[in-house]
Amino acid sequence: MSAVLFAAPVAAQSIDAGAGAPMPAGCPSGGQSWPPPKYPTEIFGAAGTVTLVLDLDRCGQVDQVWIETDSGYEALDRAAVETAKKWRLTPEYRDGAAVPSRVRVPVDFVRPSPEQMAAQQARAQAKWDQVWPLAQVPEVAAARDGSLDGFLPDALPMEEGSAVELIARARREGRELSGGELGWPALRITDDRGAFQWLLIEDSHPAAPSLVRQRLVSDGKKSFYVSRVLCGAAKATACAKLDRTVRDWPRQRPGPAMPQQLSAEPPLPPRQTPSQRPLGPSRLAPDDPKAPSDPTARPAWQRG
């Protein structure tokens, strides 16, 4: 049973949306498709409603997505947006012709049942049982103030592939994170070896293409980050300078040791009060005075 309650638009489609009408000529084949978002496991147990506003082209495909009202949890918002980008809805018809439109879509994430929570905890523990031994490292002595070097070398080998190939993998599989050292893009990748933060060094940087992989480990008394660098720059001097930059990172403050047994119900991050966000202009028909600008003007489907 899914942990996501999603209101299918067919049940609430307005007469303005051309419900059941065929897709216009010249559009990609296929009909409507609106699969529900996948419940993000990193925040399993949370509940909230994300209200999205979508711009649709004349073929019913999503051109732009806004969050009008967030859920209070970033992970739920992100899951709804990423899924909505792939939706295809019935286009709106005006005077017999399919036209671009703007629609409002509430997406509800409901709290999983006790059975779902137990099943998810069992899956998470089984995966953690594989990762936990890899995250254990020899004890690292802290300074008198409790801090550790900002750069501590990681003994776990880097993934196979060149810097270009691994950056492409990060872009394909990673989830973008805010922050990151020196303004470098940071992406999170989770696999059977653990959870990693990859910092990508690209474009005009002298050391590009390169990346820094950071991994959270534990020495039994505390947890901290270890790092590994892969430099793909053509000039050895650029790689040497990158290495010096990374080794000069600010000192880090360790956290508590990693538990071997996960909590039956991991604590959720603090829930923020849902906020309204202003909507931007549509790209669909900028020269058309009737272009969609207010989702309440011509809702193709709307609940509540």
Side-chain angles (χ1 to χ4, degrees):
M1 182 171 61
S2 172
V4 179
L5 175 62
F6 177 74
V10 169
Q13 188 136 12
S14 81
I15 59 174
D16 296 328
M23 289 294 174
C27 290
S29 60
Q32 297 185 81
S33 176
W34 52 87
K38 182 179 180 181
Y39 201 110
T41 57
E42 70 267 26
I43 197 170
F44 210 80
T49 297
V50 187
T51 302
L52 303 178
V53 171
L54 315 178
D55 270 3
L56 308 178
D57 65 15
R58 61 181 294 274
C59 295
Q61 296 177 312
V62 176
D63 181 79
Q64 290 173 280
V65 181
W66 285 275
I67 296 175
E68 183 181 49
T69 306
D70 62 52
S71 67
Y73 292 110
E74 181 182 356
L76 299 185
D77 299 343
R78 183 173 60 250
V81 168
E82 291 305 311
T83 301
K85 291 177 181 178
K86 306 171 186 176
W87 286 344
R88 187 180 186 186
L89 309 179
T90 297
E92 179 179 343
Y93 278 77
R94 191 190 310 155
D95 298 328
V99 295
S101 58
R102 178 173 282 190
V103 298
R104 176 182 283 113
V105 188
V107 181
D108 291 340
F109 292 86
V110 299
R111 178 176 168 79
S113 67
E115 294 77 13
Q116 290 172 322
M117 291 292 295
Q120 172 61 23
Q121 197 279 336
R123 289 191 296 268
Q125 184 64 54
K127 185 173 182 179
W128 184 241
D129 288 342
Q130 295 178 324
V131 172
W132 188 84
L134 296 175
Q136 305 309 300
V137 299
E139 184 176 355
V140 175
R144 294 181 63 180
D145 64 357
S147 67
L148 300 174
D149 287 344
F151 176 86
L152 292 171
D154 188 0
L156 188 69
M158 182 70 79
E159 289 73 0
E160 294 185 2
S162 67
V164 171
E165 292 169 337
L166 293 183
I167 287 174
R169 178 199 168 188
R171 291 294 188 190
R172 183 175 63 252
E173 302 177 10
R175 175 169 61 83
E176 193 162 354
L177 302 173
S178 59
E181 296 287 344
L182 304 178
W184 296 333
L187 293 99
R188 184 178 181 85
I189 293 182
T190 302
D191 57 28
D192 57 3
R193 301 197 302 171
F196 303 88
Q197 176 174 276
W198 288 21
L199 305 176
L200 308 186
I201 304 166
E202 305 173 280
D203 303 328
S204 59
H205 192 283
S210 298
L211 62 91
V212 180
R213 190 194 69 190
Q214 297 178 305
R215 183 168 67 104
L216 188 64
V217 298
S218 177
D219 64 4
K221 297 182 178 180
K222 56 188 176 296
S223 60
F224 48 89
Y225 284 97
V226 292
S227 304
R228 200 173 184 96
V229 181
L230 177 61
C231 183
K235 295 183 178 180
T237 53
C239 290
K241 185 175 181 179
L242 172 63
D243 187 70
R244 290 194 298 270
T245 298
V246 171
R247 292 178 183 276
D248 198 35
W249 276 349
R251 299 184 67 80
Q252 58 176 307
R253 291 283 175 180
M258 293 181 178
Q260 188 168 2
Q261 189 70 28
L262 297 179
S263 170
E265 186 170 341
L268 295 172
R271 186 175 188 273
Q272 304 298 316
T273 302
S275 60
Q276 293 283 130
R277 305 188 187 183
L279 300 181
S282 172
R283 293 198 303 260
L284 296 176
D287 299 325
D288 182 355
K290 297 181 180 180
S293 57
D294 181 357
T296 64
R298 293 187 309 279
W301 53 278
Q302 182 179 349
R303 188 189 63 184

